[in-house]
């Protein structure tokens, strides 16, 4: 059995590689993008020990056809992942995420032996704001209007201005991304659906919620809030919560994500389906900060700034029932346990320089993508 993991040198790849059953021969193709691999331009030791490593951009994957020939399962992890950054580095996100997937498909199409399955790491960003209810029916509101955000109206409202209640995201809900990043993830899904269907390749699309855990790159200001908040709390540097701090996210531990990918690789069943992978619990930004501070034995100090990122969604949580019918029991790591493991690891790492984060926020501000609510 042979497996190709594109983008396998990253955060999720490092966890996945250790969980892949030994009977699989593994090839990892990764460009070691300096934005993600800030400290070393080499494959991590655990990856080198287990896989044949190819340092290459996904755009050039055709050059490695001979090595890849005979692959049974492809796991496609290559992606640029910053929601905010995607709103101004648009062509880079389109190139790496959408065209990168197109190049992978052209390579597969040139192989004599087609893989039997492709597993895609997609994102809940494809749902955009997702589905809401007014207590009576399932609604797909347009989302949040810029003029409302500028007035500090953070929740998703009906056209009449009534606050709507978010529903846990289900795979059957409409996709309507609000960021360029989310759109490029949807394009990845759709490119694969069309191609895999034409070749009878089993496609498993996994929509991840907010992934966190040890080995998440700290030098990259675009890797998510767990790192940003932990850096700020442990160094006593400024911590800013956007909007009113009551944004919710579903934080899923990276080890659970790797388990979901492994199950998708090894199952004997033909799946041809899209599956959410989250903890199934919605947590506010304030609760995350409080939990990290408590585990570090520090006081949580933060500023609720009223600033907001254009393209952000307000609430996200996965409905995990489809996962259970397709891949079996789902027992996610609790946020407290996951964060404890994260902090044990974090305390031995070199933290993010707060100036790097500030520079990324300034950049978004300059582009009009980080705005402040206007005084009422
Ligand atoms: C994240 C991932 C994305 C993934 C998606 C769904 C990152 C960078 N993005 O997007 O790849 O597909 O989840 O799984 O990991 N915030 C603050 N203060 C800050 C920074 C951010 O309050 O200093 C807020 C943001 O406005 C947002 C929330 O925190 O409301 C989460 O932001 P972030 O961690 O960047 O992730 P997502 O946009 O949810």
């Amino acid at each position: 059995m042979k497996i190709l993991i594109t983008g396998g040198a990253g955060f999720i790849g490092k966890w996945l590689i250790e969980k892949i059953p030994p009977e699989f021969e593994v090839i990892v193709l990764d460009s070691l993008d300096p934005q993600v691999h800030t400290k070393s331009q080499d494959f991590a030791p655990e990856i080198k020990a287990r896989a044949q490593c190819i340092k290459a951009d996904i755009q050039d994957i055709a050059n490695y056809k001979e090595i890849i020939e005979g692959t049974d399962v492809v796991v496609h992890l290559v992606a640029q992942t910053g929601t905010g950054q995607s709103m101004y580095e648009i062509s880079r996100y389109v190139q790496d995420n959408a065209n990168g997937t197109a190049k992978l498909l052209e390579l597969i199409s040139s192989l004599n032996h087609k893989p039997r399955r492709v597993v895609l790491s997609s994102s809940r960003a494809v749902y955009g704001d997702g589905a809401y209810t007014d207590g009576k029916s399932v609604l797909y509101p347009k989302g949040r209007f810029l003029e409302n955000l500028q007035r500090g109206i953070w929740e998703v409202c009906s056209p009449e201005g009534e606050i709507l209640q978010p529903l846990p995201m289900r795979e059957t809900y409409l996709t309507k991304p609000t960021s360029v990043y989310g759109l490029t993830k949807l394009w990845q899904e759709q490119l694969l659906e069309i191609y895999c269907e034409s070749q009878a390749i089993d496609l498993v699309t996994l929509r991840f919620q907010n992934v966190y855990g040890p080995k998440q790159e700290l030098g990259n200001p675009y890797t998510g809030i767990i790192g940003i908040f932990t850096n700020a709390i442990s160094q006593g540097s400024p911590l800013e919560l956007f909007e009113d701090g009551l944004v919710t996210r579903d934080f899923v531990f990276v080890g659970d994500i790797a388990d979901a990918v492994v199950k998708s690789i090894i199952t004997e069943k033909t799946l041809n389906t899209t599956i959410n992978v989250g903890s199934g619990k919605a947590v506010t930004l304030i609760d995350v900060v409080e939990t990290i501070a408590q585990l570090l034995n520090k006081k949580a100090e933060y500023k609720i700034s009223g600033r907001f990122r254009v393209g952000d969604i307000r609430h996200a949580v996965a409905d995990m029932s489809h996962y259970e019918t397709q891949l079996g029991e789902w027992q996610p790591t609790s946020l407290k346990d996951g964060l404890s493991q994260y902090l044990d690891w974090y305390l031995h790492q070199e933290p993010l320089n707060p100036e790097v984060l500030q520079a990324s926020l300034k950049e978004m501000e300059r582009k009009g993508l980080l705005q402040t609510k206007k005084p009422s």
Side-chain angles (χ1 to χ4, degrees):
M1 296 280 249
K2 188 163 161 181
I3 175 165
L4 166 69
I5 310 176
T6 73
F11 169 44
I12 294 173
K14 284 181 195 150
W15 279 79
L16 181 58
I17 201 93
E18 296 192 337
K19 290 183 184 247
I20 290 179
E23 61 271 24
F24 277 96
E25 175 192 342
V26 186
I27 302 169
V28 167
L29 180 137
D30 199 299
S31 67
L32 299 169
D33 181 344
Q35 176 173 305
V36 179
H37 299 267
T38 54
K39 281 183 222 94
S40 163
Q41 289 295 289
D42 197 5
F43 288 90
E46 62 268 41
I47 295 174
K48 280 205 270 198
R50 178 67 179 83
Q52 180 175 1
C53 298
I54 305 171
K55 183 175 173 185
D57 197 298
I58 189 84
Q59 312 293 334
D60 301 323
I61 195 169
N63 298 341
Y64 304 92
K65 177 173 178 280
E66 271 160 38
I67 304 175
I68 295 168
E69 185 66 71
T71 292
D72 298 291
V73 178
V74 175
V75 178
H76 186 38
L77 302 179
V78 162
Q80 297 294 341
T81 62
T83 314
Q85 190 182 38
S86 78
M87 300 295 283
Y88 57 95
E89 296 204 14
I90 298 165
S91 59
R92 187 155 76 91
Y93 276 73
V94 170
Q95 176 74 359
D96 290 358
N97 296 359
N99 200 52
T101 304
K103 289 288 185 187
L104 169 67
L105 293 181
E106 284 178 2
L107 177 271
I108 293 176
S109 133
S110 75
L111 297 174
N112 297 323
H113 164 98
K114 303 273 183 294
R116 91 188 140 80
R117 177 173 295 143
V118 175
V119 180
L120 170 68
S121 64
S122 186
S123 164
R124 66 94 182 114
V126 302
Y127 295 112
D129 277 293
Y132 275 72
T133 184
D134 53 4
K136 288 179 251 140
S137 40
V138 177
L139 305 167
Y140 293 99
K142 161 121 189 20
R144 302 194 294 169
F145 296 94
L146 188 60
E147 60 272 24
N148 278 358
L149 295 170
Q150 287 167 339
R151 286 161 54 206
I153 299 170
W154 308 121
E155 297 294 343
V156 174
C157 297
S158 69
E160 295 74 36
E162 177 200 358
I163 292 180
L164 300 172
Q165 295 308 314
L167 290 169
M169 291 162 165
R170 289 197 173 175
E171 294 83 349
T172 48
Y173 286 167
L174 289 183
T175 50
K176 45 185 186 72
T178 57
S179 63
V180 170
Y181 166 71
L183 180 61
T184 62
K185 294 307 285 185
L186 187 58
W187 285 341
Q188 288 189 325
E189 290 191 2
Q190 293 172 336
L191 282 166
L192 279 159
E193 271 160 31
I194 288 172
Y195 180 79
C196 290
E197 162 103 51
S198 78
Q199 300 296 316
I201 295 172
D202 186 25
L203 173 63
V204 186
T205 298
L206 299 176
R207 290 183 178 156
F208 299 155
Q209 297 277 333
N210 288 50
V211 188
Y212 74 97
K215 303 188 187 186
Q216 191 157 25
E217 181 59 54
L218 290 170
N220 175 5
Y222 304 100
T223 51
I225 48 174
I226 300 279
I228 293 174
F229 292 176
T230 305
N231 272 312
I233 296 167
S234 59
Q235 294 178 69
S237 52
L239 195 166
E240 175 180 355
L241 298 185
F242 297 148
E243 306 183 17
D244 56 357
L246 297 176
V247 165
T248 59
R249 290 291 185 268
D250 176 334
F251 295 97
V252 56
F253 188 66
V254 63
D256 299 342
I257 290 284
D259 288 339
V261 178
V262 169
K263 278 190 180 183
S264 306
I265 294 169
I266 64 178
T267 182
E268 298 285 327
K269 276 194 293 186
T270 299
L271 291 173
N272 263 325
T273 193
T274 299
I275 306 174
N276 287 331
V277 194
S279 72
K281 291 204 169 58
V283 181
T284 67
L285 301 183
I286 294 176
D287 282 344
V288 180
V289 175
E290 299 280 2
T291 311
I292 296 171
Q294 190 194 358
L295 290 168
L296 285 171
N297 251 328
K298 303 236 179 190
K299 192 171 172 315
E301 290 188 54
Y302 51 85
K303 176 179 167 203
I304 293 178
S305 66
R307 294 210 287 179
F308 62 91
R309 273 189 344 199
V310 178
D312 264 349
I313 61 154
R314 177 72 174 170
H315 297 295
V317 65
D319 179 316
M320 290 299 291
S321 44
H322 187 57
Y323 181 104
E324 295 214 300
T325 59
Q326 297 297 313
L327 295 175
E329 204 183 356
W330 178 242
Q331 287 188 311
T333 307
S334 72
L335 184 63
K336 241 188 178 158
D337 284 354
L339 281 176
S340 301
Q341 291 184 51
Y342 178 74
L343 296 172
D344 283 347
W345 168 84
Y346 173 89
L347 294 171
H348 299 97
Q349 309 301 311
E350 197 184 310
L352 173 72
N353 175 353
E355 282 168 24
V356 176
L357 175 64
Q358 288 312 320
S360 74
L361 295 179
K362 281 250 147 34
E363 181 69 2
M364 288 195 63
E365 212 170 19
R366 261 198 303 276
K367 309 270 189 213
L369 296 165
L370 181 60
Q371 300 194 13
T372 310
K373 90 170 179 175
K374 298 191 172 128
S376 39

